Amino acid sequence: MANLYLIDKPFADSALGLAREDPDAEVVLLQDGVYLSVEPLLAARKKVYAVERDVERRGLSSKIGNDVKLIDYHQLVDLLFANKVLNFA
Amino acid sequence: MANLYLIDKPFADSALGLAREDPDAEVVLLQDGVYLSVEPLLAARKKVYAVERDVERRGLSSKIGNDVKLIDYHQLVDLLFANKVLNFA
Amino acid sequence: MAQRRILFTINHAPFGSIHYTEGLRAVVGATSGIDEHEVDVLYLGDGVYFALRGVDRSDTLKYIDTLAQAGRKLKVERESLQERGIAHQDLAPDVEVIPRSAVRDLIAQADFTAGF
Amino acid sequence: MAQRRILFTINHAPFGSIHYTEGLRAVVGATSGIDEHEVDVLYLGDGVYFALRGVDRSDTLKYIDTLAQAGRKLKVERESLQERGIAHQDLAPDVEVIPRSAVRDLIAQADFTAGF
Amino acid sequence: MAKLGILLTAGPFQFENWETAVNIADAALDKGHEVEMFFYLDGIYNPNRHQTFPDLPTLPKDRFAKLVERGAKPIACGVCVRARGQKGEDYIDGVPVGGLPDFAQILSDVDQLVTL
Amino acid sequence: MAKLGILLTAGPFQFENWETAVNIADAALDKGHEVEMFFYLDGIYNPNRHQTFPDLPTLPKDRFAKLVERGAKPIACGVCVRARGQKGEDYIDGVPVGGLPDFAQILSDVDQLVTL
């Protein structure tokens, strides 16, 4: 069971800081959170997901890296129940 | 007549960037804008005001520098009519 | 009673808040009065994400069309794009990139500004 | 039906939004049910500005008193304070500064988190 | 099967949170889970039955009504409702006005909590 | 003496903007200026006459009512009102429901514009 950080942009600084140093962290970017730079997370070998709808409507599909896994809401629900949710949205 | 930037925190990055390079800029910090670091503005010799009520209720009165002028709403209204208002609140 | 020139700045990114589209509705609305105000639309800060080529415009298209017909382009600050690593080829073809010095000209020309 | 431990994080600064006080009302509310949940209150990011000594507490005092009577301290992340240049002498006497490693312990102990 | 709790503190239209909340709730129901929602702060504006907007084929109230139809159990914070001058009779069917003890009960009932 | 225009896009309680708007408007009236306000987006929630909150001696509606008494001229965006399921009859006296052409007229009338 991971610590699943749900991250939107307004609280990104503290949420990303926590997640980066948390050995059990996985991150879900949602809403404006999909604009965030995830290099530090990936460098720290964290698994990063992004909500596909939020990426697509913002025109970011071609800009987001292959190392970020796009998920739909059904996959998100599975992640929510399989992990401990850290709410930063 | 100055360009009077009314700045709250959410849009501070672009507003402060604009103001710093604007030779006619003066800045009013209001609401959560009073948390902003004003060193770059002061270094660029910009006049900086902060709304006194917003500073006081946040417990920042002793932390805010003497080079920031605290103003009440009557003074703010005078500033609004005496300048061109740039809305970033 | 007078015609004014209003600079609308859009600072909110799509789609976290509705300002990306309601700001444009207000722009069009400002031109709807008896004085037919002049308007400029400028994307700054995170607002510039609206200029990306693939952004869903279904809620904004009618306002953009109205503005385009009046000869008004959506302007985007170059420095805000650069800070976010957005390149020219990432942008929609109908936006106009302007440097900060031109932003200062827009400010100089404006009677009022409105921030969204 | 079970007693839970909930970690409430407060990320919004006072007073730009009402989350600084309504978050605490929700904390107290969470303890008001039949299961008497355990709660922790943690200030993170800009939320830590609430810990400043001179902050106006007129809207939050009753919630803070209720929590204090239940032996619950307001916890503030040290790293968030440091990033904002807030020193120990700037803080209200009733807040408890904890390092990020202790934040991880709070997370480990929590069944749920709620963000304000 | 499991139970999902959603705490929604943002209103309709202005921010994207209500859409995310509904999309997550819908997906949870698709998978056979149960959903309990608490409308808090501006969140209490969401289930207003009088919403009308010609341009939008589906309004927030329609999506929340569909969730109720599918078995989701929402409840609104009464203090928030009254502070904002709203009335329970203006809500879509199936959204009672309660209080924070109901939020405490949701914390007892659910297996996971999302706050938006 | 001059005229101040205020565009308010945030609702009561949730954000500080309504208080800033009222404080600025009050100060302008103190100085003999005129004030015109446009409630846009969530701003339209502000003048609801049914607001009640036991802990607050002065509610948003009371402060806006006082502004009206003192001669301020507010008007609300009708599209926003109807989208949010609100009704003009729930407003305090002196707040008509209009539209963006009224905002355009405010832009014609005033000497300065503040958006909050």
Side-chain angles (χ1 to χ4, degrees):
Chain A
M1 193 179 82
N3 288 330
L4 190 76
Y5 288 75
L6 303 189
I7 303 185
D8 192 359
K9 198 155 190 293
F11 313 125
D13 279 354
S14 52
L16 292 175
L18 263 178
R20 208 168 47 235
E21 296 177 22
D22 178 348
D24 301 319
E26 299 189 0
V27 170
V28 178
L29 306 174
L30 75 173
Q31 302 184 156
D32 285 351
V34 302
Y35 290 122
L36 295 166
S37 162
V38 292
E39 301 310 321
L41 289 174
L42 296 170
R45 300 181 171 279
K46 302 301 173 196
K47 187 139 198 163
V48 182
Y49 306 90
V51 173
E52 187 167 26
R53 162 186 175 277
D54 295 341
V55 170
E56 280 178 356
R57 67 193 312 210
R58 288 168 176 79
L60 297 173
S61 300
S62 64
K63 293 213 78 188
I64 209 149
N66 288 329
D67 23 24
V68 174
K69 183 170 163 51
L70 298 182
I71 55 171
D72 63 20
Y73 290 99
H74 291 107
Q75 292 167 296
L76 177 54
V77 165
D78 289 344
L79 286 172
L80 294 176
F81 283 123
N83 298 288
K84 180 177 292 189
V85 176
L86 280 292
N87 282 294
F88 288 98
Chain B
M1 191 181 82
N3 289 329
L4 190 77
Y5 289 74
L6 302 190
I7 303 186
D8 192 359
K9 198 154 191 290
F11 312 125
D13 279 355
S14 51
L16 292 175
L18 263 176
R20 208 168 46 235
E21 297 177 23
D22 179 348
D24 301 320
E26 299 189 1
V27 170
V28 178
L29 306 175
L30 75 172
Q31 302 184 157
D32 284 352
V34 301
Y35 290 122
L36 294 167
S37 163
V38 292
E39 301 310 321
L41 289 173
L42 296 171
R45 300 179 171 280
K46 302 302 173 197
K47 186 140 198 161
V48 182
Y49 306 90
V51 173
E52 187 166 27
R53 164 186 174 276
D54 294 342
V55 170
E56 280 178 356
R57 67 193 311 211
R58 287 167 177 80
L60 297 173
S61 300
S62 64
K63 293 213 78 185
I64 209 148
N66 289 329
D67 24 24
V68 174
K69 183 170 163 51
L70 298 182
I71 55 172
D72 64 19
Y73 290 99
H74 292 109
Q75 291 167 296
L76 177 54
V77 165
D78 288 344
L79 286 172
L80 294 176
F81 282 121
N83 297 288
K84 181 175 292 190
V85 177
L86 280 292
N87 283 293
F88 288 98
Chain C
M1 313 293 163
Q3 192 195 43
R4 314 285 195 170
R5 184 157 181 169
I6 303 114
L7 171 59
F8 286 84
T9 60
I10 301 189
N11 307 284
H12 286 87
F15 290 75
S17 88
I18 203 169
H19 295 74
Y20 78 95
T21 175
E22 293 288 50
L24 288 180
R25 183 159 71 90
V27 174
V28 172
T31 67
S32 68
I34 204 160
D35 284 321
E36 298 184 338
H37 304 296
E38 282 287 308
V39 292
D40 292 290
V41 181
L42 171 65
Y43 291 87
L44 288 172
D46 282 351
V48 303
Y49 285 118
F50 186 77
L52 287 173
R53 177 183 291 278
V55 170
D56 178 353
R57 291 189 174 192
S58 46
D59 291 330
T60 47
L61 201 57
K62 61 177 178 296
Y63 309 125
I64 294 172
D65 282 351
T66 302
L67 292 167
Q69 278 162 32
R72 291 282 154 208
K73 278 209 161 189
L74 307 179
K75 298 187 170 75
V76 183
E77 191 202 45
R78 190 180 59 193
E79 285 76 0
S80 296
L81 292 169
Q82 287 169 344
E83 286 163 12
R84 287 159 185 77
I86 301 173
H88 197 267
Q89 66 265 27
D90 298 328
L91 298 177
D94 61 346
V95 303
E96 181 185 351
V97 178
I98 64 169
R100 192 164 283 173
S101 56
V103 170
R104 279 199 294 275
D105 294 338
L106 289 177
I107 292 171
Q109 290 159 20
D111 295 301
F112 305 141
T113 71
F116 275 94
Chain D
M1 313 294 165
Q3 194 196 40
R4 314 284 195 169
R5 185 156 180 169
I6 302 116
L7 171 59
F8 286 85
T9 60
I10 302 190
N11 307 285
H12 286 87
F15 290 74
S17 88
I18 202 171
H19 294 75
Y20 78 95
T21 174
E22 292 289 50
L24 288 181
R25 183 160 70 90
V27 173
V28 173
T31 66
S32 68
I34 202 160
D35 284 321
E36 298 186 338
H37 303 296
E38 283 286 307
V39 292
D40 293 290
V41 181
L42 172 65
Y43 290 87
L44 288 172
D46 282 350
V48 303
Y49 286 118
F50 185 77
L52 287 173
R53 179 182 290 277
V55 170
D56 178 353
R57 290 188 174 191
S58 48
D59 290 332
T60 46
L61 201 57
K62 61 178 180 293
Y63 309 125
I64 294 172
D65 282 350
T66 302
L67 292 168
Q69 278 161 31
R72 291 282 153 208
K73 277 208 160 189
L74 306 178
K75 298 187 171 76
V76 184
E77 192 202 44
R78 190 180 60 195
E79 285 76 359
S80 296
L81 292 170
Q82 288 169 345
E83 286 162 11
R84 286 159 185 78
I86 301 173
H88 196 267
Q89 66 264 27
D90 299 327
L91 298 178
D94 61 345
V95 302
E96 181 185 351
V97 178
I98 63 170
R100 192 164 282 173
S101 55
V103 170
R104 279 200 293 277
D105 294 339
L106 289 177
I107 292 172
Q109 290 160 20
D111 295 300
F112 306 141
T113 71
F116 276 92
Chain E
M1 297 305 100
K3 282 194 197 184
L4 180 65
I6 301 178
L7 174 73
L8 181 58
T9 60
F13 303 109
Q14 195 95 339
F15 300 104
E16 204 175 9
N17 299 40
W18 75 270
E19 292 186 72
T20 301
V22 170
N23 287 335
I24 290 175
D26 255 331
L29 293 167
D30 287 346
K31 288 181 159 277
H33 301 303
E34 294 180 47
V35 173
E36 301 191 0
M37 299 186 89
F38 193 71
F39 295 118
Y40 191 53
L41 309 183
D42 276 6
I44 65 94
Y45 289 126
N46 283 291
N48 186 303
R49 70 162 75 232
H50 304 299
Q51 292 167 3
T52 53
F53 195 71
D55 291 354
L56 275 183
T58 310
L59 288 157
K61 65 169 180 178
D62 301 321
R63 297 210 56 199
F64 284 102
K66 186 84 183 171
L67 288 180
V68 170
E69 234 174 75
R70 298 185 69 199
K73 292 196 172 23
I75 189 160
C77 158
V79 169
C80 312
V81 166
R82 290 184 290 276
R84 287 162 181 76
Q86 305 298 295
K87 301 199 192 86
E89 68 240 43
D90 292 328
Y91 278 174
I92 55 171
D93 293 341
V95 185
V97 175
L100 280 170
D102 298 294
F103 174 56
Q105 187 59 45
I106 290 173
L107 293 172
S108 296
D109 294 346
V110 298
D111 299 291
Q112 196 53 270
L113 178 73
V114 172
T115 63
L116 282 165
Chain F
M1 295 310 99
K3 283 193 197 186
L4 179 65
I6 301 178
L7 173 72
L8 180 58
T9 60
F13 303 108
Q14 195 94 341
F15 300 105
E16 204 174 9
N17 299 42
W18 76 269
E19 292 185 72
T20 301
V22 170
N23 287 335
I24 290 174
D26 255 330
L29 293 167
D30 286 346
K31 287 181 160 277
H33 302 303
E34 295 180 47
V35 173
E36 302 192 359
M37 298 185 91
F38 193 71
F39 295 119
Y40 191 54
L41 308 184
D42 276 5
I44 64 94
Y45 290 125
N46 283 292
N48 186 302
R49 70 162 76 230
H50 304 299
Q51 294 168 3
T52 54
F53 195 69
D55 292 355
L56 275 184
T58 310
L59 288 157
K61 66 167 179 181
D62 302 320
R63 297 212 54 200
F64 285 102
K66 186 86 183 169
L67 288 180
V68 170
E69 236 175 73
R70 299 185 68 199
K73 293 198 171 23
I75 188 161
C77 156
V79 170
C80 310
V81 167
R82 291 184 289 276
R84 287 161 180 76
Q86 304 299 295
K87 300 195 192 89
E89 69 239 41
D90 293 328
Y91 278 174
I92 55 171
D93 292 343
V95 185
V97 175
L100 280 169
D102 298 295
F103 173 57
Q105 188 58 45
I106 290 173
L107 293 172
S108 296
D109 294 346
V110 298
D111 299 290
Q112 196 51 271
L113 179 73
V114 171
T115 64
L116 283 165

